């Protein structure tokens, strides 16, 4: 019911303004909820929009909104579908019923409503690409109220795309355009444009999956791919509990994901951190080793065991049938090189932080910090580490790896390290990365 009520308002069919609707308890459950419902006194302080009309033709179209006081606003266009958005301070819409349902000229239809506390929005669906030729507010004059005026002009798609802000250009940010399209789609007008999630992204990468089982124990009953998936999901849940970070998993089920795709996920998300989870094994005759090890990327392996391990982990693609030719060639660029060096510093810092936390709760390898050429750690701009939780070939480690209790403790110390690292990172780098 609640969303239906808003739906009507945003279609411009409602007789009541969005702010007034928000006073009713049912609408407080709508997606625009979470808003302190203004009392009648509060409502009366907002600018009132009393009428709206369109004029012109398919070449040039003008929109006029009558207000009782001048407001500041921002108008911008979006592609796919073609739209123009006008963001205003909170406005008490008292427009005639049915306004905006049908359009004129370049405007197919428009809808309006409250999108957040203190903010209203008008969305124009266009018949085709158009440019905002002019947009301004006129003060009251000659018996006319203050008016917001928008003048649209037909353009071709190329000109339209060029007129967009970079973040709105479809070829630059398909994901953003898609999200905006979803927000403003006619059939879901009640959905307010959710504010972009600015929380730092942590990518958790449970190793292997699908045809690639990883290491095995117990005659094949215990597989690395399952152990690390369970661990990764538990780590995700723990990190998400704080609400401070957004967690993206490279896989949440038994699916094979090529190594390059795991790196791509981290890069596409502009992740603040990438943590790959594995469990090692030594073959019979290779001796015994135990404890957790934290790996960072290096051209030169820190020792022969690290080199052996990187070779093994890098075989994942071969097992899954991914040709190395599919992998993007490494870009030899001085800028990339600089970024890479900085990323390396942060990867090493996180590895040390992680060791500092883990050693209190988890049995660590006798040389717990190592480096080698792991393909999955190769994002030039995302600090990345690979954690081998232990050795499934070691009896004691295996007991830990399958223990719920051990997992909870280890997940806890890893989450602690992630928080410590990112808190420091954000304090120095500011929000956004
Ligand atoms: Zn592995």
């Amino acid at each position: 019911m609640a969303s239906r009520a808003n739906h009507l308002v945003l279609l411009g069919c409602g007789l009541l303004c969005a702010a007034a609707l928000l006073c009713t308890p049912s609408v407080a459950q709508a997606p625009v909820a979470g808003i302190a419902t203004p009392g009648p006194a509060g409502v009366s302080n907002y600018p009132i929009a009393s009428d709206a009309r369109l004029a012109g033709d398919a070449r040039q179209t003008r929109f006029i909104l009558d207000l009782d006081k001048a407001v500041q606003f921002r108008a911008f266009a979006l592609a796919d579908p073609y739209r123009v958005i006008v963001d205003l301070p909170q406005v008490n819409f008292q427009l005639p019923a049915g306004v905006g349902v049908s359009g004129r000229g370049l405007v197919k239809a428009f809808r309006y409503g409250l999108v957040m506390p203190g903010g209203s929005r008008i969305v124009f669906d266009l018949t085709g690409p158009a440019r905002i030729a002019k947009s301004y507010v006129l003060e009251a004059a000659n018996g006319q109220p203050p008016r917001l005026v928008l003048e649209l002009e037909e353009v071709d798609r190329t000109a339209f795309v060029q007129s967009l802000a970079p973040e709105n250009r479809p070829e630059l940010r398909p994901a953003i355009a898609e999200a905006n399209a979803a927000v403003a789609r006619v059939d879901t007008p009640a959905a307010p444009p959710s504010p972009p999630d600015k929380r730092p992204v942590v990518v958790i990468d449970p190793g292997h999956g699908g045809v690639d089982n990883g290491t095995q124990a117990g005659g094949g009953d215990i597989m690395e791919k399952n152990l690390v998936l369970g661990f990764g999901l538990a780590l995700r849940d723990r990190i998400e509990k704080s609400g401070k970070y957004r967690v993206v998993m490279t896989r949440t089920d038994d699916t094979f994901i090529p190594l390059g795709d795991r790196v791509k996920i981290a890069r596409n998300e502009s992740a603040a951190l990438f943590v790959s989870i594995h469990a090692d094994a030594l073959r019979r005759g290779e001796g015994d080793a135990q404890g957790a090890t934290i790996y960072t990327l290096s051209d030169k392996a820190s020792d022969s065991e690290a080199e052996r391990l990187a070779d093994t982990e890098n075989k994942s693609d071969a097992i899954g049938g991914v040709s190395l030719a599919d992998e993007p060639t490494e870009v030899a660029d001085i800028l990339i090189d600089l970024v890479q060096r900085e990323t390396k510093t942060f990867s090493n810092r996180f590895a040390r932080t992680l060791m500092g936390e883990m050693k209190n709760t988890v049995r660590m390898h006798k040389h717990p910090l190592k480096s080698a050429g792991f393909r999955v750690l190769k994002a030039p701009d995302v600090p990345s580490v690979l954690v081998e939780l232990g050795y499934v070939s070691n009896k004691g480690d295996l007991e830990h790896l399958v223990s719920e209790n051990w997992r909870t403790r280890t997940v806890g110390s890893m989450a602690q390290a992630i928080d410590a690292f990112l808190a420091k990172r954000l304090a120095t780098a500011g929000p956004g990365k």
Side-chain angles (χ1 to χ4, degrees):
M1 262 333 275
S3 65
R4 185 180 147 76
N6 255 307
H7 182 94
L8 290 175
V9 166
L10 282 149
L11 278 173
C13 299
L15 285 165
L16 297 166
C17 72
L21 269 176
L22 281 164
C23 301
T24 70
S26 66
V27 174
Q29 292 156 20
V32 282
I35 296 170
T37 52
V43 169
S44 64
N45 288 333
Y46 297 118
I48 295 168
S50 53
D51 201 5
R53 56 202 169 274
L54 290 161
D57 53 34
R59 303 271 301 281
Q60 289 182 314
T61 306
R62 176 179 290 177
F63 169 78
I64 300 156
L65 183 72
D66 291 343
L67 296 156
D68 69 336
K69 59 181 109 169
V71 297
Q72 296 211 313
F73 71 100
R74 189 173 79 101
F76 57 96
L78 290 174
D80 309 325
Y82 296 113
R83 280 152 299 148
V84 163
I85 312 292
V86 174
D87 279 336
L88 306 144
Q90 187 163 339
V91 166
N92 184 354
F93 288 103
Q94 297 182 0
L95 304 185
V99 74
V101 171
S102 59
R104 177 176 179 147
L106 292 161
V107 175
K108 221 189 285 178
F110 66 89
R111 54 196 183 275
Y112 53 89
L114 190 68
V115 288
M116 59 179 147
S120 293
R121 171 171 278 194
I122 308 171
V123 180
F124 298 89
D125 295 316
L126 306 182
T127 54
R131 155 184 108 81
I132 303 165
K134 281 181 189 164
S135 62
Y136 48 91
V137 166
L138 291 169
E139 296 287 343
N142 306 325
Q144 296 266 22
R147 279 149 294 159
L148 184 155
V149 182
L150 203 63
E151 293 183 13
L152 305 176
E153 229 171 56
E154 185 190 26
V155 289
D156 60 22
R157 178 168 172 96
T158 310
F160 175 82
V161 168
Q162 276 165 4
S163 75
L164 298 178
E167 69 269 23
N168 294 336
R169 285 191 196 161
E171 77 276 26
L172 294 181
R173 302 300 300 269
I176 286 182
E178 209 173 274
N180 279 323
V183 162
R185 212 168 286 142
V186 183
D187 56 356
T188 55
S194 44
D197 193 337
K198 293 253 177 78
R199 290 177 300 168
V201 172
V202 177
V203 173
I204 297 174
D205 173 48
H208 313 279
V211 292
D212 175 16
N213 296 325
T215 56
Q216 300 183 37
D221 286 348
I222 297 167
M223 290 188 253
E224 178 185 0
K225 65 173 181 178
N226 298 329
L227 287 177
V228 298
L229 178 61
F231 189 94
L233 292 170
L235 181 58
R236 173 192 68 185
D237 294 348
R238 176 65 69 95
I239 296 169
E240 280 186 340
K241 236 191 229 168
S242 79
K244 286 197 270 186
Y245 311 107
R246 188 159 67 84
V247 177
V248 173
M249 304 289 295
T250 55
R251 68 180 179 99
T252 54
D253 56 20
D254 188 18
T255 307
F256 173 79
I257 313 279
L259 297 174
D261 287 3
R262 299 170 192 253
V263 176
K264 262 184 235 160
I265 289 169
R267 299 203 67 201
N268 289 345
E269 294 284 348
S270 301
L273 192 60
F274 176 91
V275 183
S276 192
I277 310 285
H278 289 259
D280 201 358
L282 288 183
R283 264 188 241 127
R284 217 168 290 158
E286 285 179 327
D288 197 14
Q290 61 179 45
T293 314
I294 300 159
Y295 289 87
T296 50
L297 177 67
S298 169
D299 301 336
K300 234 179 116 247
S302 53
D303 60 33
S304 59
E305 205 207 340
E307 191 169 6
R308 182 230 13 121
L309 180 72
D311 286 347
T312 311
E313 298 293 10
N314 290 346
K315 270 195 196 113
S316 177
D317 280 356
I319 295 165
V322 175
S323 145
L324 291 186
D326 296 343
E327 293 293 303
T329 51
E330 263 128 82
V331 191
D333 184 292
I334 186 118
L335 283 175
I336 294 265
D337 193 53
L338 281 174
V339 171
Q340 230 157 8
R341 235 178 291 170
E342 196 199 36
T343 301
K344 194 176 173 184
T345 306
F346 283 117
S347 300
N348 290 335
R349 182 184 297 173
F350 175 64
R352 285 192 304 271
T353 307
L354 187 55
M355 186 187 68
E357 286 294 338
M358 283 180 77
K359 71 170 194 272
N360 300 323
T361 45
V362 184
R363 183 161 76 170
M364 301 298 288
H365 189 272
K366 60 180 188 288
H367 304 295
L369 288 180
K370 293 185 183 188
S371 58
F374 293 92
R375 298 176 63 81
V376 79
L377 299 181
K378 286 197 170 169
D381 45 3
V382 181
S384 304
V385 303
L386 183 149
V387 181
E388 296 283 349
L389 294 170
Y391 290 82
V392 299
S393 51
N394 177 272
K395 195 164 166 277
D397 274 10
L398 186 59
E399 275 169 22
H400 288 160
L401 287 165
V402 297
S403 144
E404 187 92 12
N405 186 285
W406 180 89
R407 188 167 81 183
T408 305
R409 277 188 291 126
T410 310
V411 157
S413 57
M414 285 181 76
Q416 192 93 28
I418 289 168
D419 189 38
F421 170 77
L422 290 179
K424 194 170 171 199
R425 186 81 216 269
L426 295 173
T428 50
K433 190 111 186 249

